[in-house]
Amino acid sequence: MDKIKKIYKKLTIMGKISLLIFIIFLIMGVFSGKIARFPHDNIVAASFVSPNKTHLLGTDDLGMDIFAQILYGARVSIGLSLFVAIVSTLIGASVGIVAAYYGGVIDRLLIRLIDVLTIIPSLPILIIISSFWGPSMKNIVIILVLLSWISPARIIRSKTLQLKEEPYILVAEYYGAGFLHLTRKHFIIELVPIILVSIIKLISRTIVSEASLSFLGLGDPTNKTWGLVLNFALGFQAIYFTEYWKWWVLSPLLAIILLVLAVAFLSVDLEKIANTRL
Amino acid sequence: MKNILLEIENLNIDYFDGETPLAATKDIGFSIFEGETLGIIGESGSGKTSIANAIMRILPANASVSGRISYKNRDILKMDDKEMKKILWNEIAMIFQNSLDVLNPLLTIGEQIAETLREHKSLKRKEAEDITKEYLEKVGLEKDDFKAYPHQLSGGMRQRALIAMGLVCQPKLLIADELTSALDAKTKSEILDLLSNLQKEFNFSLLLISHELDTIASLTERLMVLYRGQLLEEGFTKEILRYQYHPYSRGLINSSTTINVYKDLWGIPARKTLEEGDGCPFYSRCNQKIEICKLERPSLISLEASRKLACHQGGILEVLRGEDISKSFMNKNGQVRACIDCSLYIRQGEFISLVGQSGSGKTTLANILSGVLKKDSGSVLFKKENSEAMKLGSQLGGVQIVFQDPFSSINENFTVLDAVREPLQINKLEDQVEEKVKEYLSRVELENSTGYLARRIHSLSGGQRQRVALARALIMEPELLIADEICSMLDKSTEANILRLLKKLQNEEGFSMIYITHNLNVALKLSDRILVMNEGRIVESGNPVTIMKNPKDKYTKDLIRFNKKNELLLYD
């Protein structure tokens, strides 16, 4: 608890605002069912109602409440990106530690794999794979994880390499410590800040990736993420000739931008703190 | 070959004080040759004086003696009083320890000496007086001192008179019991010179009983080490003083300021176990005892020519030996040879220092010996076995190493408990880990409360961290502890505290130590032996005194010169 307070104090003003925004989105996502007065996937009013007291952001072409869709989209987007970020960071961390600890052939193989995956531009890959596998939540998660573990793996490998040279690790190895002991007792505790930062960084990346996929129509059509809302809105012919774009297009767009920016600012701040040691 | 003058076989002396006999000596056997000087050394209570008294047949009435003491092939113990009287003073004489009650205060010393002559040589009064005066002069007194009463003489003069008394009948064997222990240094050295000259002049055999090494060293050729009534080691005095086989002999010699001019004084630690048996007398204080030591008494057997030892382990064990160790590293300027053909050994309970400037290869050598680093060539033997495949660091009773920097050698995020118990945890040794951690924390003089155990390492000072590192190493009960400049990052006062603690633990627990330092003065204070390293080679080794008095290598000479220069800077 003390540590969290300490970290909070070290945040810049931008960081604090970002944290607030992130928490608001988080609450929106978690309690979306309670906050929304209307279901997000049902026709509740006439089409194209302008924003008013009952429909804060109006309705779309089918008469579904947009505010409810944004709330629900927050849940899916944040949930999905958190899941992807955590899973891929854990995979990346394991790969990084294994590569650094064992070195030699294992290290060279893994590093080569990471290099290859880094060079290939990820969005085209995302598009190609997801169009092959077909749109489903599971596929999106797998694809995103596949492309996201690389950067944490890199960072954690180099940090572990550096740790490996610490005298206390040499001492522990002299006592006969193996991979498990060193990882559990020495590496993890030192890597926690890096792991946390890399999770947060991945969150914003994943939100954007997922939104792009959905926007391109490659997302899961049954789960209305912000990207999908945007996709539907822009799919409406000649939306810019009407005034509906102001709420139908802008609201998911702003939500994405706000959340991604907030998370990005937060991660920059946290990275600085992590680098100066807690 | 000289003839045997006195031969003692299976001498047992028991004192009866109440019901149970108290053994003063057990199966002692030795011989004295004609014209030979033999020393017996041992702590007080070891039975030295009982042996002398048994030879002179002046043991108290409650003592029982068995065995054989043959003088010129006749058993003294079986002689009747008349025969004995002939031998006493004429053949075997004794110089008593100087104290007032040895001399009769009512008679002049001349009268007392002359009386001995008249009694044993049946001389007339005048003849006896003349001879007495002659001997008084020989021992450095005046003729006129004949008329002096004991209380009129100083301690040194009385001791001279007692020597005259011992010699006046021209005995073949002279027994001297604690000849010099009550004398001041100057008188002592005069008396030693005197006795040494007289021995050369008259060529009598001398049995010198003492606990003082300098007395023994200056007067005897051969030496026996006696402990609790048993002989533990026997050999030429010079050889025993240089290299001891028995741990007791070593302890005894290390406790002497005569031999250890530079080193701090540490006695043989008091007994650890109260277990007594019929086994080795040194059992309870020995740090390398095995099962048989408790059950069976070791007998005195010949090791090499004129060297005998009574120890089941064959004397002080060798813990580690490195032979022709070489190691080189590559850097951008090419190959750097860190160690070149380094050979060394360390025995159980020994404290050696590796001295050298930074870059001399001492840390590399230490890392190779402990097994942290791989060597290019050479071999490391741990207890006479090749240590290549042994994991010395991960076993109890192996080798442990403590590193220079306490700030990086322990994970700062660990608690004290985690740090100290780490080696036990890794190797799944010990069930009562926390208890053991507490015990070792108190051994290194740290708190062992639950609160302290939960403290993070990063909240500790350098000195405390180094103590934690020590506790962590000691918890593995190492046979050999290597300490690599462990104080170089600490302030002087903390350094002094840690070094004294280390030496105390080493002395008590009896493990061996290799201490690595660039500071010759620290090494002088701590070590039994010093190895000097320069440019990857061990250029010199020896005990502190020989290194200081007679350095052979140029680098060692420089080192000593720098030291001298610094001293002058301070005190000019």
Side-chain angles (χ1 to χ4, degrees):
Chain A
M1 210 54 210
D2 276 353
K3 229 172 193 177
I4 294 174
K5 256 188 209 163
K6 233 193 234 165
I7 294 172
Y8 177 75
K9 271 187 192 155
K10 282 189 184 166
L11 287 175
T12 57
I13 293 191
M14 276 312 283
K16 283 175 186 164
I17 295 170
S18 304
L19 186 66
L20 188 72
I21 293 171
F22 183 70
I23 290 173
I24 289 172
F25 272 110
L26 205 63
I27 292 169
M28 278 168 58
V30 173
F31 300 106
S32 58
K34 298 236 166 66
I35 300 170
R37 289 157 68 190
F38 304 98
H40 68 275
D41 52 357
N42 232 330
I43 297 167
V44 290
S47 309
F48 300 126
V49 175
S50 300
N52 57 32
K53 271 186 185 163
T54 35
H55 300 287
L56 288 175
L57 293 172
T59 59
D60 63 6
D61 57 341
L62 294 174
M64 296 198 259
D65 187 49
I66 292 179
F67 184 59
Q69 289 182 30
I70 297 293
L71 285 178
Y72 183 75
R75 166 186 281 190
V76 179
S77 289
I78 293 178
L80 177 100
S81 52
L82 258 179
F83 182 78
V84 168
I86 290 172
V87 170
S88 31
T89 304
L90 290 186
I91 293 175
S94 318
V95 169
I97 294 174
V98 166
Y101 178 81
Y102 289 103
V105 181
I106 296 176
D107 187 35
R108 259 176 284 156
L109 278 177
L110 289 172
I111 271 294
R112 210 46 69 206
L113 180 65
I114 290 172
D115 282 347
V116 169
L117 288 175
T118 321
I119 298 165
I120 298 174
S122 59
L123 195 65
I125 291 284
L126 271 177
I127 294 166
I128 291 167
I129 301 178
S130 48
S131 50
F132 265 111
W133 287 358
S136 91
M137 209 60 177
K138 198 181 81 194
N139 285 349
I140 290 186
V141 167
I142 294 175
I143 293 162
L144 289 178
V145 167
L146 270 182
L147 292 172
S148 303
W149 61 271
I150 302 157
S151 87
R154 248 176 199 293
I155 299 167
I156 284 166
R157 174 181 167 274
S158 69
K159 178 72 183 173
T160 311
L161 276 180
Q162 182 195 333
L163 284 176
K164 232 180 100 186
E165 297 302 314
E166 288 284 339
Y168 64 82
I169 300 291
L170 298 180
V171 173
E173 282 185 322
Y174 183 59
Y175 292 134
F179 176 71
L180 279 182
H181 176 90
L182 289 182
T183 306
R184 234 179 31 218
K185 291 276 174 181
H186 293 282
F187 294 151
I188 297 269
I189 199 167
E190 292 288 331
L191 295 174
V192 158
I194 297 183
I195 289 176
L196 287 179
V197 168
S198 111
I199 287 176
I200 289 172
K201 272 172 129 178
L202 273 184
I203 288 176
S204 61
R205 206 187 110 113
T206 316
I207 293 170
V208 174
S209 302
E210 186 277 330
S212 343
L213 282 181
S214 299
F215 171 76
L216 293 172
L218 297 166
D220 181 0
T222 57
N223 268 307
K224 255 209 182 148
T225 62
W226 292 335
L228 207 61
V229 175
L230 207 57
N231 174 268
F232 283 152
L234 294 177
F236 187 74
Q237 294 290 321
I239 181 144
Y240 295 115
F241 295 111
T242 66
E243 58 167 359
Y244 314 136
W245 65 272
K246 284 181 199 157
W247 47 92
W248 201 12
V249 175
L250 272 191
S251 53
L253 197 62
L254 276 177
I256 292 171
I257 292 174
L258 258 181
L259 183 59
V260 168
L261 277 180
V263 173
F265 276 117
L266 201 58
S267 73
V268 168
D269 263 23
L270 286 180
E271 202 170 14
K272 266 186 204 152
I273 295 170
N275 283 342
T276 52
R277 256 203 103 76
L278 299 177
Chain B
M1 183 74 193
K2 288 179 190 168
N3 296 321
I4 290 176
L5 190 67
L6 184 86
E7 191 172 17
I8 293 183
E9 284 164 75
N10 301 327
L11 180 68
N12 284 294
I13 304 171
D14 295 286
Y15 289 103
F16 286 89
D17 192 16
E19 286 297 298
T20 45
L22 197 71
T25 66
K26 278 181 199 162
D27 289 335
I28 298 267
F30 63 90
S31 339
I32 304 173
F33 296 92
E34 277 176 12
E36 184 195 37
T37 51
L38 175 68
I40 299 182
I41 194 164
E43 288 172 322
S44 47
S46 57
K48 307 181 296 262
T49 305
S50 295
I51 295 175
N53 290 350
I55 297 171
M56 296 291 283
R57 282 198 21 193
I58 49 174
L59 282 168
N62 67 345
S64 92
V65 188
S66 71
R68 231 176 94 84
I69 303 179
S70 43
Y71 177 78
K72 290 185 173 170
N73 290 325
R74 287 188 303 157
D75 192 347
I76 289 182
L77 295 175
K78 294 204 176 93
M79 286 179 190
D80 55 29
D81 286 353
K82 215 173 132 190
E83 267 182 295
M84 194 62 208
K85 197 181 159 191
K86 263 191 215 158
I87 285 182
L88 277 187
W89 296 107
N90 284 330
E91 301 277 333
I92 307 175
M94 188 160 178
I95 306 173
F96 289 97
Q97 196 175 344
N98 167 47
S99 62
L100 275 174
D101 55 357
V102 173
L103 292 162
N104 188 338
L106 298 177
L107 297 173
T108 66
I109 56 162
E111 280 167 342
Q112 293 185 56
I113 296 171
E115 189 188 312
T116 317
L117 269 175
R118 279 160 55 205
E119 187 92 347
H120 294 277
K121 289 263 182 200
S122 324
L123 293 179
K124 302 245 163 49
R125 176 178 293 269
K126 182 76 182 73
E127 280 174 300
E129 244 176 60
D130 288 344
I131 294 174
T132 302
K133 280 181 181 156
E134 184 190 330
Y135 272 87
L136 283 178
E137 279 185 326
K138 271 199 202 304
V139 299
L141 293 172
E142 310 262 312
K143 272 184 189 166
D144 294 346
D145 289 327
F146 189 88
K147 295 189 191 80
Y149 285 94
H151 67 268
Q152 291 172 317
L153 299 178
S154 69
M157 289 162 91
R158 273 203 302 274
Q159 190 66 67
R160 286 169 196 265
L162 285 167
I163 292 175
M165 194 192 238
L167 289 177
V168 76
C169 302
Q170 295 187 320
K172 290 275 189 307
L173 171 65
L174 189 67
I175 300 171
D177 187 4
E178 298 290 5
L179 185 68
T180 52
S181 48
L183 301 174
D184 64 86
K186 183 164 174 285
T187 321
K188 182 167 156 181
S189 112
E190 283 167 11
I191 296 276
L192 291 179
D193 285 345
L194 172 70
L195 205 63
S196 163
N197 291 335
L198 289 172
Q199 198 270 333
K200 280 185 194 110
E201 187 181 339
F202 294 106
N203 201 29
F204 50 79
S205 305
L206 179 69
L207 178 62
L208 184 74
I209 290 168
S210 182
H211 60 256
E212 289 182 308
L213 274 178
D214 45 352
T215 306
I216 294 278
S218 62
L219 281 182
T220 66
E221 302 161 69
R222 217 148 56 85
L223 180 62
M224 297 188 302
V225 180
L226 191 72
Y227 181 67
R228 296 179 64 198
Q230 292 178 49
L231 287 178
L232 297 183
E233 190 164 353
E234 186 187 326
F236 286 117
T237 308
K238 273 189 185 147
E239 282 175 15
I240 292 190
L241 291 183
R242 206 181 58 227
Y243 187 89
Q244 306 86 37
Y245 280 107
H246 201 283
Y248 175 74
S249 318
R250 177 176 67 189
L252 200 65
I253 284 161
N254 281 347
S255 326
S256 157
T257 42
T258 319
I259 306 284
N260 301 305
V261 183
Y262 302 101
K263 211 173 82 178
D264 275 355
L265 275 187
W266 294 91
I268 306 172
R271 61 187 64 176
K272 283 195 200 140
T273 50
L274 284 170
E275 285 178 86
E276 292 292 344
D278 300 325
C280 180
F282 194 55
Y283 178 75
S284 59
R285 291 166 86 177
C286 188
N287 281 318
Q288 55 173 34
K289 53 188 166 236
I290 46 176
E291 195 54 33
I292 192 175
C293 300
K294 188 175 161 187
L295 304 170
E296 219 174 278
R297 188 135 52 90
S299 46
L300 198 64
I301 35 177
S302 293
L303 279 183
E304 49 193 75
S306 74
R307 196 73 186 261
K308 288 178 180 170
L309 172 75
C311 179
H312 287 302
Q313 293 267 46
I316 303 167
L317 296 171
E318 185 180 280
V319 175
L320 195 84
R321 176 178 284 272
E323 272 160 5
D324 302 324
I325 295 171
S326 293
K327 173 85 186 170
S328 43
F329 295 104
M330 293 300 289
N331 70 3
K332 57 178 183 288
N333 300 326
Q335 207 182 31
V336 178
R337 300 189 75 186
C339 292
I340 307 163
D341 294 334
C342 293
S343 298
L344 75 164
Y345 69 92
I346 178 159
R347 301 203 296 167
Q348 198 273 334
E350 198 177 18
F351 197 120
I352 68 176
S353 289
L354 267 180
V355 181
Q357 65 197 23
S358 50
S360 59
K362 46 196 199 316
T363 296
T364 306
L365 183 58
N367 286 344
I368 288 172
L369 291 176
S370 61
V372 172
L373 203 66
K374 284 207 161 45
K375 57 197 174 293
D376 290 347
S377 63
S379 60
V380 178
L381 304 172
F382 180 70
K383 292 184 172 173
K384 311 214 155 152
E385 276 173 58
N386 199 323
S387 73
E388 198 93 46
M390 280 192 241
K391 295 205 162 140
L392 293 176
S394 52
Q395 49 177 298
L396 291 178
V399 178
Q400 289 300 324
I401 180 161
V402 179
F403 292 96
Q404 182 171 10
D405 180 4
F407 293 90
S408 67
S409 65
I410 312 174
N411 191 335
E412 294 201 311
N413 295 309
F414 272 24
T415 60
V416 172
L417 175 65
D418 275 338
V420 179
R421 77 176 167 193
E422 188 178 24
L424 295 179
Q425 225 172 22
I426 289 171
N427 298 298
K428 301 182 179 65
L429 300 163
E430 209 77 35
D431 297 323
Q432 302 291 322
V433 173
E434 200 168 324
E435 289 310 304
K436 201 170 177 193
V437 169
K438 283 185 176 176
E439 185 197 327
Y440 276 84
L441 282 178
S442 73
R443 263 188 219 188
V444 298
E445 293 166 8
L446 283 176
E447 257 182 78
N448 60 4
S449 61
T450 318
Y452 197 83
L453 286 179
R455 272 183 74 171
R456 300 266 163 193
I457 297 296
H458 59 67
S459 71
L460 302 182
S461 71
Q464 286 171 319
R465 287 184 198 208
Q466 204 57 294
R467 280 171 202 260
V468 170
L470 266 181
R472 179 176 65 178
L474 291 175
I475 207 165
M476 295 294 278
E477 299 161 18
E479 287 269 340
L480 172 63
L481 183 68
I482 300 177
D484 184 1
E485 298 263 23
I486 59 169
C487 291
S488 59
M489 316 266 288
L490 308 175
D491 64 89
K492 285 295 148 195
S493 160
T494 313
E495 169 173 7
N497 286 335
I498 292 224
L499 287 181
R500 286 195 69 83
L501 171 73
L502 192 64
K503 181 68 202 181
K504 181 180 138 224
L505 288 169
Q506 189 267 335
N507 193 51
E508 273 169 12
E509 318 217 344
F511 53 84
S512 317
M513 274 221 50
I514 299 179
Y515 186 76
I516 291 160
T517 181
H518 56 259
N519 188 335
L520 182 62
N521 287 338
V522 169
L524 287 174
K525 280 216 174 294
L526 292 171
S527 349
D528 299 321
R529 214 145 41 82
I530 292 178
L531 307 179
V532 181
M533 264 192 104
N534 187 28
E535 289 171 357
R537 289 178 200 275
I538 296 177
V539 292
E540 180 136 1
S541 76
N543 71 31
V545 180
T546 52
I547 293 264
M548 287 303 280
K549 292 273 185 295
N550 193 14
K552 291 188 185 68
D553 189 79
K554 188 181 166 296
Y555 177 71
T556 321
K557 285 177 189 162
D558 286 347
L559 212 60
I560 293 168
R561 213 180 56 235
F562 293 144
N563 260 18
K564 290 249 164 70
K565 215 164 107 188
N566 285 344
E567 277 168 32
L568 290 177
L569 276 180
L570 274 175
Y571 291 112
D572 250 357

